[in-house]
Amino acid sequence: HKQYRFAEIEPQWQKTWQQRNAFRATVDAQRPKFYCLEMLPYPSGRVHMGHVRNYAIGDAIARYKAMQGYNVLHPMGWDAFGLPAENAAIAHNMDPGQWTWSNIDYMKQQLKRLGFSYDWERELATCSEEYYAFEQQLFIELYTKGLVYRKKAQVNWCTQCQTVLANEQVEEGRCWRDGSEVVAKDLEQWFFRITEYADELLADLEKLQGGWPERVIAMQRHWIGKSTGAEITFAIPEASTTVTVFTTRPDTLCGATFMSLAPEHPLAQQLCAGKETQETVKQFIEKVRKQDSITRTSDKEKEGVFTGAYAINPLNGQSIPIWLGNFVLMEYGTGAVMAVPGHDQRDYEFARKYNLPIKEVISSEAGIEQEAWTGPGTLINSGEFDGLDNEMAKDAITEKLARQGTGRKTENFRLRDWGISRQRYWGNPIPMIHCSHCGVVPVPREQLPVKLPKGVKLQGSEESPLATVPEFVNTTCPTCGREAKRETDTMDTFVESSWYFHRYACQEDKTQPINRQAMDYWMDVDQYIGGVEHAVMHLLYARFFHKALRDLGYVGTDEPFSRLLTQGMVLLGGKKMSKSVGNIVDPDEMVERYGADTVRLFTLFASPPEKDLEWNESGVEGAFRFLGRLWRLVHEQPERYAHPDQTEPCNLSESARLLQQKLHQTIKRVSSSMEGNYHFNTAIAATMELVNEMNTFEDTTPAAQALYRQCLEALLKLLNPFVPHICEELWRDIGQTSLLAREPWPSYDEALAKADTITMVIQVNGKVRGKIDVPADIEKNEMERLSLDHERIQPYLQEMQVAKVIVVPGKLVNIVVKP
Ligand code: ANZ
Ligand code: ZN
């Protein structure tokens, strides 16, 4: 009989699907839509097992939803700008574009061999001129709306290469290329005003509850980091000025024994001017300028220096010294902190180190001899507020300060505006022009896109590589016509991945970046699938971008992704598969040896999508053997299902009735595993059980044949989302002419799926103590659990030890107890 030759059938079906436009998605107002999206890959060279897993999960969902009757949108594309292309280009002395496009070609073929149900017509590469041109247009619209601005910010500057380095290019404070010193340098850079949406980004996490993993929601909440507290203003009489701090603990105000300013604070230099502290302060500021914010806020020892000036506590009039501290960041709060060593551990250590006073203002049993007390308590040493509970004191003190005009209640976010300037070549040019007369001017719409020039020198330039191309840089001002210069920074690649899913859904519109009608039909993404490493940045930026697009009128909803699934990692030998560890299994090689269906089946069967998956070849072989069994069900004895006259299973024998029950139970189990959690592993396990039952089924009467055929048809439909090639082939082999991919998902009959019940006997030490009705196919441990929990049995177990539980499947449980 016909053999299972995956190497022949897989490419054939891939071709057929393409020829018959099986996965082409078009707007159809009559049908409900389902937008299934997987995070688009970076075209690094080859598809890896993590991709395969991600896309096998997405494909199973997309195909399942299509069979359920949804109009499914399932696109794929390439996140194609970015540093690796630039590095590879430097290493191989080639053009980043050439490297990227050839990788895309190669990886696309790899994905095609896996038979994913993508609508390839909607494919996009973010480095294509069409895509980045539209992105430039959106950038300018955001600029016009006030959501884009420029300010000075720090970059990593290699003192040897005289160039800006990305964070990934800095290794332990040194340049990745030549190990020379890296310092922080201030450059004018472009920012997206994501903080404008901080409140909404936080509040709308509520809407994602249930659809997103709790962990991801928590990570976003933490990243946005809202704190409630107060701003308190201290006078500095000697300098006739004031300084304002942000604190979450106004209740501890009387415990402030000194103040810490960020070294970048505008007052820092002014306060020491003309004093003997001036020189040490200057040196300290220089030193801290070279430290990155990670070092500054890490657990390493805090450093500081006294400015020589004093500030007045607005509550008790006390004069406290003003210090600078490397751990105080200018970007957070006001860049100034009232230090309360008695109740803040960081201040405590700082005070111990520099011999500053420590004052207790919140009473506690532990006291503050050993460390700061950060818990709750009653106020002491705080004048009129003594005796107040500290939570109440927060409001009471803030109110008093507000009346005095020295404080107010406020909120603070950890979230910073999104710096999108990159001093790199392989990215989207920021479409702005600098005119010495008019300032910053956006490139007019009709002059877009600002094309990325080719053949640019990638290394050794002062700032951005684009700055070395005079034909690029020199232009005329669109406003006054004078000579002007183009912006030479490119955009962070996270900008591209913030709206690619909008673009997929309106690829046919070549006149504008986003088509509102297409959005109103296809958005939101119903299911997004990708790695948890994108839990914060990508997902937060994309949420921000969606809201900004909403405010530009491009989309009508608040959130882009209704449901999110973060798949686990693919491991080998307990470690994440990676080039650096050297434990890679190449997908191509596996497809070559076992076929795409086997590879897909293994990745879906070996563990539920959200858990890590341990690659093991014997598991792959097991999956392959299962497909062989499936194949033989159809091809070994066609006479078992091919009776010419009978098509309806009726008047079934007892064994046939049981198989029928199994069939309906299987459809039920698979369907419910597909809903909700997408636990494909249990769905697949259920189909395996059905295959076993079919294998041992011996009835060959006409009625049994009709039933057997029903089983086969349902089985192929149930397995189609996971192993579509073999299922299509077998579907045709049993005489069907339709495309299985377009067949409806099978339904089951609840009455037929209902398990028979049996009466189970429960004994204690051999004596019958109870009877219960249970499903006939009950599992052994379930029998045991029911018996031990049974209320009639409980009294016999009291003060006794269960020595042994004997289970006779489907009949009885005997609990052996002893005192
Ligand atoms: C006095 C105080 C007393 C504080 C106390 C804490 C405990 P979160 O919760 O992260 O918002 N802080 C304020 N601005 C800072 C900056 N720019 N750099 C470093 N630290 C800064 O933290 C707010 C607390 O962090 C503030 O409350 C302030 O210290 C410090 F028993 O003020 B607190
Ligand atoms: Zn001008």
Side-chain angles (χ1 to χ4, degrees):
H1 62 82
K2 188 176 161 189
Q3 298 293 311
Y4 174 37
R5 293 212 175 84
F6 56 82
E8 282 165 28
I9 65 173
E10 289 182 351
Q12 270 168 22
W13 282 106
Q14 287 155 17
K15 209 166 127 202
T16 305
W17 291 326
Q18 191 176 348
Q19 280 166 352
R20 295 178 63 175
N21 282 327
F23 311 119
R24 185 82 186 93
T26 49
V27 170
D28 175 358
Q30 303 307 308
R31 282 201 301 158
K33 63 89 191 184
F34 191 91
Y35 188 173
C36 182
L37 177 72
E38 294 123 51
M39 289 182 184
L40 85 179
Y42 180 78
S44 55
R46 296 176 76 83
V47 165
H48 58 66
M49 229 25 119
H51 292 131
V52 174
R53 183 175 193 206
N54 189 168
Y55 307 147
I57 292 167
D59 202 48
I61 296 171
R63 286 176 178 270
Y64 167 65
K65 289 291 173 185
M67 293 177 83
Q68 278 193 318
Y70 287 94
N71 187 17
V72 171
L73 173 60
H74 189 211
M76 184 38 72
W78 311 96
D79 187 17
F81 273 138
L83 197 57
E86 215 160 316
N87 291 341
I90 292 169
H92 304 119
N93 194 23
M94 65 195 286
D95 176 58
Q98 193 191 344
W99 183 84
T100 305
W101 286 109
S102 80
N103 285 348
I104 289 176
D105 276 350
Y106 188 82
M107 291 172 74
K108 185 172 173 182
Q109 291 322 306
Q110 287 188 296
L111 291 188
K112 288 206 155 175
R113 283 182 75 188
L114 285 154
F116 298 131
S117 61
Y118 298 127
D119 178 357
W120 283 107
E121 301 281 310
R122 292 176 185 271
E123 177 189 9
L124 62 80
T126 58
C127 66
S128 70
E129 198 178 301
E130 178 185 290
Y131 189 82
Y132 77 66
F134 282 142
E135 188 168 286
Q136 290 177 4
Q137 186 183 329
L138 291 175
F139 180 93
I140 290 168
E141 287 181 38
L142 292 172
Y143 174 78
T144 310
K145 216 168 186 322
L147 290 172
V148 175
Y149 67 98
R150 226 159 89 92
K151 72 169 181 198
K152 269 212 155 97
Q154 278 192 351
V155 295
N156 307 304
W157 179 259
C158 174
T159 48
Q160 180 63 36
C161 316
Q162 291 283 300
T163 183
V164 174
L165 300 178
N167 284 338
E168 302 90 311
Q169 295 176 319
V170 183
E171 292 162 357
E172 288 171 13
R174 305 204 152 259
C175 175
W176 66 309
R177 235 179 268 140
D178 53 20
S180 51
E181 197 188 10
V182 173
V183 297
K185 183 176 163 174
D186 278 337
L187 283 185
E188 286 280 343
Q189 307 201 47
W190 290 97
F191 286 82
F192 280 172
R193 214 181 285 281
I194 187 172
T195 52
E196 182 87 14
Y197 290 86
D199 261 320
E200 203 193 332
L201 285 166
L202 184 68
D204 283 354
L205 289 173
E206 291 294 322
K207 298 182 183 161
L208 304 177
Q209 216 99 40
W212 280 39
E214 215 27 72
R215 180 158 80 109
V216 175
I217 292 179
M219 286 164 81
Q220 293 229 341
R221 186 174 291 127
H222 177 76
W223 190 266
I224 298 167
K226 180 174 174 169
S227 352
T228 311
E231 275 181 12
I232 302 176
T233 301
F234 289 63
I236 310 177
E238 59 189 283
S240 313
T241 184
T242 60
V243 60
T244 299
V245 302
F246 169 69
T247 176
T248 48
R249 297 290 306 272
D251 52 320
T252 63
L253 179 51
C254 288
T257 56
F258 61 101
M259 186 175 282
S260 303
L261 306 187
E264 301 86 348
H265 197 285
L267 285 176
Q269 313 250 12
Q270 187 191 329
L271 292 179
C272 63
K275 298 202 166 93
E276 59 187 52
T277 49
Q278 188 165 4
E279 200 41 44
T280 48
V281 167
K282 241 180 105 182
Q283 280 167 10
F284 180 73
I285 293 173
E286 267 314 299
K287 182 174 172 193
V288 179
R289 263 174 56 81
K290 291 182 189 166
Q291 297 177 339
D292 57 275
S293 56
I294 317 240
T295 317
R296 285 174 57 172
T297 51
S298 70
D299 286 336
K300 293 217 186 90
E301 209 174 80
K302 312 295 174 229
E303 294 173 79
V305 66
F306 177 45
T307 60
Y310 293 82
I312 306 297
N313 185 325
L315 199 57
N316 61 12
Q318 220 175 40
S319 178
I320 57 174
I322 305 175
W323 284 63
L324 305 185
N326 69 337
F327 58 90
V328 185
L329 301 177
M330 196 55 220
E331 304 86 54
Y332 191 71
T334 60
V337 179
M338 65 178 209
V340 183
H343 305 285
D344 180 283
Q345 189 57 27
R346 194 173 57 185
D347 295 341
Y348 190 88
E349 282 158 24
F350 194 89
R352 282 266 186 267
K353 178 171 177 184
Y354 294 107
N355 243 324
L356 291 156
I358 301 177
K359 187 174 162 194
E360 189 174 17
V361 291
I362 309 286
S363 75
S364 66
E365 254 171 50
I368 56 168
E369 290 307 309
Q370 302 302 320
E371 55 183 2
W373 170 254
T374 56
T378 307
L379 263 68
I380 51 173
N381 299 322
S382 299
E384 62 187 282
F385 299 98
D386 279 358
L388 261 180
D389 165 77
N390 80 298
E391 279 305 321
M392 315 238 293
K394 285 182 179 171
D395 284 337
I397 291 179
T398 309
E399 276 158 27
K400 169 149 191 192
L401 295 173
R403 280 196 301 275
Q404 286 181 185
T406 52
R408 62 184 186 98
K409 201 171 166 146
T410 184
E411 283 158 359
N412 230 305
F413 290 91
R414 210 173 84 91
L415 184 68
R416 294 277 79 94
D417 277 339
W418 173 15
I420 58 120
S421 277
R422 294 292 177 274
Q423 294 73 33
R424 314 293 344 157
Y425 164 71
W426 189 235
N428 190 3
I430 293 174
M432 291 289 178
I433 292 170
H434 302 277
C435 169
S436 53
H437 192 68
C438 313
V440 176
V441 185
V443 175
R445 172 82 58 90
E446 63 279 7
Q447 288 176 26
L448 292 180
V450 177
K451 287 190 195 171
L452 191 61
K454 292 205 169 82
V456 175
K457 207 168 116 224
L458 299 176
Q459 258 177 310
S461 70
E462 265 277 323
E463 288 182 9
S464 305
L466 289 180
T468 66
V469 186
E471 312 84 85
F472 177 85
V473 177
N474 298 322
T475 183
T476 51
C477 170
T479 310
C480 70
R482 289 185 176 84
E483 282 183 4
K485 295 206 180 304
R486 281 192 196 285
E487 170 65 55
T488 55
D489 283 355
T490 54
M491 294 186 214
D492 180 3
T493 60
F494 276 112
V495 180
E496 281 87 66
S497 53
S498 291
W499 72 285
Y500 74 103
F501 46 94
H502 298 103
R503 185 63 202 160
Y504 276 150
C506 37
Q507 268 289 52
E508 55 277 15
D509 189 338
K510 304 295 177 196
T511 65
Q512 52 178 341
I514 294 170
N515 174 307
R516 179 64 192 262
Q517 270 167 347
M519 288 299 100
D520 287 346
Y521 181 71
W522 289 117
M523 287 300 281
D524 301 328
V525 172
D526 295 280
Q527 183 67 58
Y528 197 18
I529 308 131
V532 75
E533 66 274 17
H534 295 298
V536 179
M537 289 203 287
H538 161 57
L539 289 169
L540 196 67
Y541 294 153
R543 291 180 62 218
F544 154 68
F545 219 86
H546 185 83
K547 290 174 191 299
L549 290 175
R550 176 199 62 195
D551 295 344
L552 290 174
Y554 280 117
V555 296
T557 59
D558 295 329
E559 284 289 330
F561 313 121
S562 312
R563 290 175 61 91
L564 171 71
L565 192 162
T566 47
Q567 93 268 0
M569 294 185 292
V570 180
L571 314 175
L572 183 68
K575 291 203 182 77
K576 180 179 179 177
M577 269 193 196
S578 79
K579 258 193 202 151
S580 55
V581 181
N583 59 348
I584 298 252
V585 175
D586 181 39
D588 271 356
E589 211 178 296
M590 288 293 122
V591 171
E592 194 75 42
R593 206 175 317 156
Y594 299 101
D597 280 339
T598 292
V599 175
R600 296 169 55 133
L601 182 66
F602 170 73
T603 59
L604 295 173
F605 179 58
S607 96
E610 71 279 6
K611 294 268 161 57
D612 288 348
L613 178 154
E614 178 72 48
W615 189 268
N616 83 72
E617 187 116 5
S618 66
V620 180
E621 272 161 14
F624 183 68
R625 276 197 305 275
F626 171 67
L627 294 185
R629 236 174 294 151
L630 180 69
W631 184 269
R632 290 192 298 275
L633 276 186
V634 170
H635 284 291
E636 237 167 38
Q637 294 167 288
E639 62 280 9
R640 294 174 72 182
Y641 60 85
H643 198 277
D645 318 317
Q646 188 142 1
T647 52
E648 278 306 310
C650 47
N651 296 326
L652 295 177
S653 66
E654 180 58 12
S655 70
R657 195 186 62 75
L658 286 175
L659 179 62
Q660 185 181 44
Q661 188 178 64
K662 186 77 189 175
L663 167 65
H664 288 265
Q665 284 172 350
T666 305
I667 299 173
K668 184 177 175 179
R669 266 179 72 192
V670 174
S671 303
S672 78
S673 304
M674 300 300 283
E675 285 307 320
N677 295 337
Y678 300 122
H679 277 189
F680 309 119
N681 55 330
T682 52
I684 294 165
T687 65
M688 289 176 168
E689 281 180 30
L690 179 60
V691 168
N692 288 343
E693 298 284 316
M694 289 169 74
N695 262 328
T696 56
F697 185 63
E698 285 176 343
D699 192 344
T700 52
T701 58
Q705 287 196 29
L707 170 68
Y708 199 87
R709 188 179 172 87
Q710 269 191 352
C711 288
L712 271 182
E713 289 179 2
L715 189 60
L716 295 176
K717 288 181 178 183
L718 296 177
L719 281 168
N720 182 59
F722 318 123
V723 286
H725 308 88
I726 189 174
C727 288
E728 288 278 12
E729 182 78 7
L730 294 175
W731 183 250
R732 205 186 50 191
D733 290 345
I734 62 173
Q736 302 284 2
T737 51
S738 63
L739 214 49
L740 180 58
R742 293 214 184 115
E743 280 293 310
W745 188 251
S747 56
Y748 60 91
D749 182 329
E750 191 69 61
L752 292 176
K754 198 157 179 268
D756 298 344
T757 58
I758 49 159
T759 303
M760 177 181 104
V761 173
I762 309 171
Q763 299 178 336
V764 179
N765 288 345
K767 287 206 184 68
V768 177
R769 299 294 186 191
K771 287 181 184 168
I772 41 175
D773 287 340
V774 294
D777 60 351
I778 186 170
E779 307 249 341
K780 268 175 97 168
N781 48 9
E782 182 65 5
M783 285 175 72
E784 180 174 334
R785 193 186 63 79
L786 285 174
S787 306
L788 291 170
D789 288 353
H790 198 271
E791 54 176 5
R792 300 269 301 274
I793 302 303
Q794 286 283 323
Y796 297 101
L797 307 182
Q798 246 149 49
E799 280 158 46
M800 302 292 261
Q801 287 219 5
V802 176
K804 202 154 88 179
V805 181
I806 301 157
V807 180
V808 183
K811 286 208 174 67
L812 78 87
V813 173
N814 183 14
I815 304 167
V816 181
V817 295
K818 50 183 198 209

